[in-house]
Amino acid sequence: MLAAAAELLDESGYGKLSIEGIAARSGVAKSTIYRWWRSKADLVMEAYTEVTARRVPGPDTGGVQEDLRVFLDTLYRVNANAGRARVLRGLMAEAQLDDGFRAAFQEWIQSRRTLMSTILMRGVERGELAEDLDVEYTVDSVFGPFWYRLLVGHAELDPADAPKHVAQLLRGAGYRAP
Amino acid sequence: MLAAAAELLDESGYGKLSIEGIAARSGVAKSTIYRWWRSKADLVMEAYTEVTARRVPGPDTGGVQEDLRVFLDTLYRVNANAGRARVLRGLMAEAQLDDGFRAAFQEWIQSRRTLMSTILMRGVERGELAEDLDVEYTVDSVFGPFWYRLLVGHAELDPADAPKHVAQLLRGAGYRAP
Amino acid sequence: MLAAAAELLDESGYGKLSIEGIAARSGVAKSTIYRWWRSKADLVMEAYTEVTARRVPGPDTGGVQEDLRVFLDTLYRVNANAGRARVLRGLMAEAQLDDGFRAAFQEWIQSRRTLMSTILMRGVERGELAEDLDVEYTVDSVFGPFWYRLLVGHAELDPADAPKHVAQLLRGAGYRAP
Amino acid sequence: MLAAAAELLDESGYGKLSIEGIAARSGVAKSTIYRWWRSKADLVMEAYTEVTARRVPGPDTGGVQEDLRVFLDTLYRVNANAGRARVLRGLMAEAQLDDGFRAAFQEWIQSRRTLMSTILMRGVERGELAEDLDVEYTVDSVFGPFWYRLLVGHAELDPADAPKHVAQLLRGAGYRAP
DNA sequence: CACTAATCGAGACGGTACGTCCAGTCTTATG
DNA sequence: CATAAGACTGGACGTACCGTCTCGATTAGTG
């Protein structure tokens, strides 16, 4: 079923996805799908994270600068994968419309944010970043532009720009090379 | 009809909004709504911007710092207005699901981004900001976190934090007091 | 407008005909059509009879047999004209669905029946037909099969068969050559 | 659903009948109706024939005259049943407007015509009717006037007149008592 | 000759019903 | 016993026309 969902997502996007369609494609009864997932979004979320979440720990290279660069590089590569980008956009959309799904989605987002804030807090501890840094806001300064461009689609984030962005972020965060 | 749409939005949110519901509430025929708007999202967008778009020009106080502060302050106040926040989230969601609406939404977003980039470019011209500043990315560093928090809902942006955020942004952008 | 109606009838048949379509085609406002006709059927009826009703009096050749032959021959030729046949079918259909039109249609039908009954009554007077002939039923024995085949479409009436049918009708009506 | 359709037909006639109305009356969802019938006409046809088609074989009394009399008597009694008459008229109308239904309707009509032609052919075989009789036309001479009067409504067929009509038909068909 | 009517085009409007899609629930039978 | 198959209620979709109803913009005929 997850496979069928993934296929259909690739073919026509989240908006056109229907439980009935997945059932038909996977040769499974609708009721069986409902037994296992509460909604389209839950299913898709699982289909997505199954592929994705190899429980990648955030990078730990010993320096904030490099940690950030690696993280952003990885993050920006998602843009390149049209299918994955479409899925993310669909999940975010669903989270706005379905309160039930919203919580699950928030949790997932939170797990991603934690990776980032761990990196930053290590930087603070090491004295690389300002002691009074607003970590939460800085985390959102990384993910915010990413999602914003993904959702609005006015421009793409190029992995090649990651170092430049890291520099700007670090300057803002009071970076001082150790 | 716009009024009816606004009411219903407030009452039950974008996800529950239906053209049929608006028609019933406003005592108007469904076909009349379809005569004037191509989709639910178009209607809501108009209902929203009618209230909002007093064609506010971006602030121009003579200095980037103050311009930014005013802008962020205004922006962050949207969060406080639960109704307006809900509408924005709904519009963003729709833009992910309906390609027809996506274009209109992008245009609107672009107009908002232009306000911000005007402010920044003035700063560059005055020599307050780095000459080689990536203006587009910096614009997205303002709107990105705003939308991200709005959509995910993990935290609220407090207008009181605007000055702090401005400072961080400016540091990142190579600010030098004139 | 009548011309436009006729064109559209030919193109797509009575079922697909709409007042709005006629208005668009004829470059006339819907309201103007409603000023002149009470319904689609009224309009079509006029469009039809305008072409048709050259106030043909029934034939009067001096003998029932020849009168009937001429009449049936003319009648059967309608079948050949696909457009005209389609219109007649549409009018009959409308007469079943719209009580307002029904009356007008009945009147028109009656005028056609009168032609036929005149022919038959002349035959009775001349002693060619049985004195106690049920003229009304006999009239319907002419028009009945015509409409029946027209409406059901299981077979066509060939003008070449008219003489044979006349013979059968006359035998049934107690015909005796004068 | 069939019951609801029948009720509504009786109450307001075929023209006013709507699928939505039937759904409401029968407490069934519109989609359920569409699952089982492709159109209003299909449904009504079934509602009608369910009641009617007790698979009545044509009468076989041993003589054409009596067979015909029985058949016409039964046929003419339909006129008396206002509800049934209205349904028949509606079906005929629909067959003119909807090509999809037309075929189904023709088939039903054909089955009724076959009953009649069987009777006539038996008569020919027995030598009661002219050897070269145009059976098809004669069949239409029975049903034609029936439908014609039913549809136009200018007069009713009285079962009491059946014998007279049989006599006239048989004379026309070259009847010779065996 | 200006002025009133009548007449028209354009098309907005409240409505009704259409036929479709899908959600989510529930029942049956099959392996 | 979980499942496939799929029937069912229900809600909304977007479309097509209906018949009614203002609106000006022509025209015509009259005073």
Side-chain angles (χ1 to χ4, degrees):
Chain A
M1 301 175 219
L2 294 173
E7 277 174 47
L8 289 169
L9 265 176
D10 260 15
E11 286 168 27
S12 4
Y14 188 92
K16 304 273 176 201
L17 194 68
S18 73
I19 298 259
E20 229 148 52
I22 297 170
R25 170 71 65 105
S26 64
V28 137
K30 245 197 320 178
S31 41
T32 308
I33 294 181
Y34 278 105
R35 194 183 315 282
W36 297 102
W37 295 277
R38 266 186 315 150
S39 72
K40 182 168 70 164
D42 278 307
L43 199 172
V44 172
M45 179 99 134
E46 188 169 328
Y48 179 75
T49 52
E50 179 183 80
V51 181
T52 306
R54 320 132 183 270
R55 292 294 101 209
V56 186
D60 186 357
T61 64
V64 206
Q65 189 162 33
E66 185 58 6
D67 281 0
L68 266 182
R69 204 197 51 71
V70 171
F71 196 95
L72 282 215
D73 191 83
T74 311
L75 188 62
Y76 287 8
R77 278 182 211 288
V78 172
N79 262 321
N81 184 330
R84 184 162 306 180
R86 194 148 49 171
V87 171
L88 285 179
R89 287 170 44 204
L91 291 174
M92 181 61 95
E94 196 66 23
Q96 308 311 310
L97 303 174
D98 175 349
D99 283 339
F101 174 64
R102 193 169 173 75
F105 183 73
Q106 271 179 342
E107 200 176 330
W108 175 71
I109 285 282
Q110 207 47 259
S111 79
R112 308 245 64 217
R113 289 185 75 259
T114 302
L115 286 183
M116 179 82 268
S117 59
T118 303
I119 290 175
L120 291 176
M121 288 188 309
R122 272 202 308 264
V124 174
E125 275 165 30
R126 288 198 208 98
E128 295 178 286
L129 300 178
E131 209 170 342
D132 65 344
L133 180 68
D134 183 339
V135 175
E136 296 305 308
Y137 175 70
T138 309
V139 168
D140 295 342
S141 292
V142 174
F143 289 115
F146 166 76
W147 276 101
Y148 186 55
R149 291 205 174 178
L150 188 70
L151 294 169
V152 175
H154 57 289
E156 286 224 343
L157 285 167
D158 185 348
D161 290 335
K164 219 171 53 182
H165 294 170
V166 168
Q168 184 161 342
L169 279 162
L170 288 179
R171 261 200 310 280
Y175 179 67
R176 189 172 314 192
Chain B
M1 301 175 221
L2 293 173
E7 278 175 45
L8 289 169
L9 265 176
D10 261 14
E11 287 168 25
S12 4
Y14 188 92
K16 303 275 177 198
L17 193 67
S18 75
I19 297 262
E20 230 149 53
I22 298 171
R25 170 70 65 103
S26 64
V28 136
K30 229 187 346 166
S31 44
T32 304
I33 295 181
Y34 279 105
R35 195 188 310 284
W36 297 104
W37 296 278
R38 267 184 316 145
S39 71
K40 185 168 68 164
D42 278 308
L43 198 172
V44 172
M45 179 98 134
E46 188 169 327
Y48 179 75
T49 52
E50 180 184 77
V51 181
T52 305
R54 317 130 185 272
R55 290 295 100 210
V56 185
D60 186 357
T61 63
V64 206
Q65 188 161 35
E66 185 59 6
D67 280 0
L68 266 182
R69 203 199 51 72
V70 171
F71 196 96
L72 283 215
D73 191 84
T74 310
L75 188 62
Y76 288 5
R77 278 182 210 288
V78 172
N79 262 321
N81 183 329
R84 184 161 306 180
R86 193 148 50 172
V87 170
L88 285 179
R89 287 170 44 203
L91 290 174
M92 181 61 95
E94 196 67 23
Q96 308 311 311
L97 303 174
D98 175 350
D99 283 338
F101 175 64
R102 194 169 172 74
F105 183 73
Q106 272 179 341
E107 201 176 327
W108 176 71
I109 286 283
Q110 207 47 259
S111 79
R112 308 245 64 218
R113 289 184 76 256
T114 301
L115 286 182
M116 180 81 269
S117 60
T118 303
I119 290 175
L120 291 175
M121 288 190 308
R122 271 203 308 263
V124 173
E125 276 167 30
R126 287 200 209 95
E128 295 178 286
L129 300 178
E131 208 170 343
D132 65 343
L133 180 68
D134 183 339
V135 175
E136 297 305 307
Y137 175 70
T138 310
V139 167
D140 295 342
S141 292
V142 174
F143 289 114
F146 165 76
W147 276 102
Y148 185 57
R149 290 207 174 176
L150 189 70
L151 294 169
V152 176
H154 57 289
E156 286 225 343
L157 285 166
D158 186 347
D161 291 335
K164 217 171 55 182
H165 294 169
V166 168
Q168 185 161 342
L169 279 163
L170 287 179
R171 262 200 310 281
Y175 179 69
R176 187 173 315 191
Chain C
M1 302 174 219
L2 294 172
E7 277 174 47
L8 289 169
L9 266 175
D10 259 15
E11 285 168 27
S12 3
Y14 188 92
K16 304 274 176 198
L17 194 67
S18 74
I19 297 262
E20 230 148 53
I22 297 171
R25 170 71 66 104
S26 64
V28 137
K30 245 196 321 177
S31 41
T32 307
I33 294 181
Y34 278 106
R35 197 186 313 282
W36 297 103
W37 295 277
R38 268 185 314 151
S39 74
K40 182 168 73 164
D42 277 309
L43 199 172
V44 171
M45 181 100 132
E46 187 169 327
Y48 180 75
T49 51
E50 180 183 78
V51 181
T52 306
R54 319 131 184 270
R55 293 293 103 211
V56 187
D60 187 356
T61 63
V64 207
Q65 186 161 35
E66 185 58 6
D67 280 0
L68 265 181
R69 203 197 52 71
V70 171
F71 195 96
L72 282 215
D73 191 83
T74 310
L75 187 63
Y76 287 8
R77 277 181 211 287
V78 172
N79 261 320
N81 184 329
R84 183 161 306 181
R86 193 148 50 169
V87 170
L88 285 179
R89 287 170 44 205
L91 291 174
M92 180 62 95
E94 196 67 24
Q96 307 312 310
L97 302 173
D98 175 349
D99 282 341
F101 174 64
R102 193 169 172 76
F105 183 73
Q106 271 177 341
E107 200 176 328
W108 176 70
I109 285 282
Q110 206 47 259
S111 78
R112 310 243 65 219
R113 290 184 76 259
T114 302
L115 286 182
M116 179 83 267
S117 59
T118 304
I119 290 175
L120 291 176
M121 290 188 307
R122 272 202 308 266
V124 174
E125 275 166 30
R126 286 199 209 96
E128 295 178 286
L129 301 177
E131 208 170 343
D132 63 345
L133 180 68
D134 182 338
V135 175
E136 296 305 306
Y137 175 70
T138 310
V139 167
D140 294 342
S141 292
V142 173
F143 288 115
F146 165 76
W147 276 101
Y148 185 57
R149 291 206 173 178
L150 188 69
L151 295 168
V152 175
H154 57 289
E156 286 225 341
L157 285 167
D158 185 348
D161 290 335
K164 218 170 56 181
H165 295 167
V166 169
Q168 186 162 341
L169 279 162
L170 287 178
R171 261 199 312 280
Y175 179 69
R176 188 174 315 191
Chain D
M1 303 174 219
L2 294 172
E7 277 174 47
L8 289 168
L9 266 175
D10 260 15
E11 286 168 27
S12 3
Y14 188 93
K16 304 275 176 197
L17 194 68
S18 75
I19 297 263
E20 231 147 52
I22 297 171
R25 169 71 65 105
S26 64
V28 137
K30 225 182 359 160
S31 43
T32 305
I33 295 181
Y34 278 106
R35 193 189 309 285
W36 297 105
W37 295 277
R38 269 185 315 148
S39 72
K40 184 168 69 164
D42 276 309
L43 199 173
V44 172
M45 180 97 135
E46 188 169 326
Y48 180 76
T49 52
E50 181 185 76
V51 181
T52 305
R54 322 133 182 270
R55 290 295 101 210
V56 186
D60 186 357
T61 62
V64 206
Q65 187 161 35
E66 185 57 7
D67 281 359
L68 266 181
R69 204 198 51 72
V70 171
F71 195 95
L72 282 214
D73 190 83
T74 310
L75 188 62
Y76 288 8
R77 276 181 212 288
V78 172
N79 262 321
N81 183 330
R84 183 161 307 181
R86 194 147 51 170
V87 170
L88 284 179
R89 287 171 44 205
L91 290 174
M92 181 61 97
E94 197 66 23
Q96 308 311 310
L97 302 174
D98 175 350
D99 282 339
F101 175 62
R102 193 169 171 74
F105 183 72
Q106 271 178 341
E107 202 176 329
W108 175 70
I109 286 281
Q110 205 48 259
S111 78
R112 310 245 62 219
R113 290 185 74 258
T114 302
L115 287 183
M116 178 83 268
S117 60
T118 304
I119 291 175
L120 291 176
M121 289 189 307
R122 272 202 308 265
V124 173
E125 275 166 31
R126 287 198 209 97
E128 295 178 286
L129 300 177
E131 206 169 345
D132 64 346
L133 180 68
D134 183 338
V135 174
E136 296 305 306
Y137 175 71
T138 309
V139 167
D140 295 342
S141 292
V142 173
F143 288 115
F146 166 76
W147 276 100
Y148 185 56
R149 291 206 172 177
L150 188 70
L151 294 168
V152 176
H154 57 289
E156 287 226 341
L157 286 167
D158 185 348
D161 290 335
K164 217 169 56 180
H165 295 168
V166 168
Q168 184 161 342
L169 279 163
L170 287 178
R171 261 200 312 280
Y175 178 70
R176 189 173 313 190

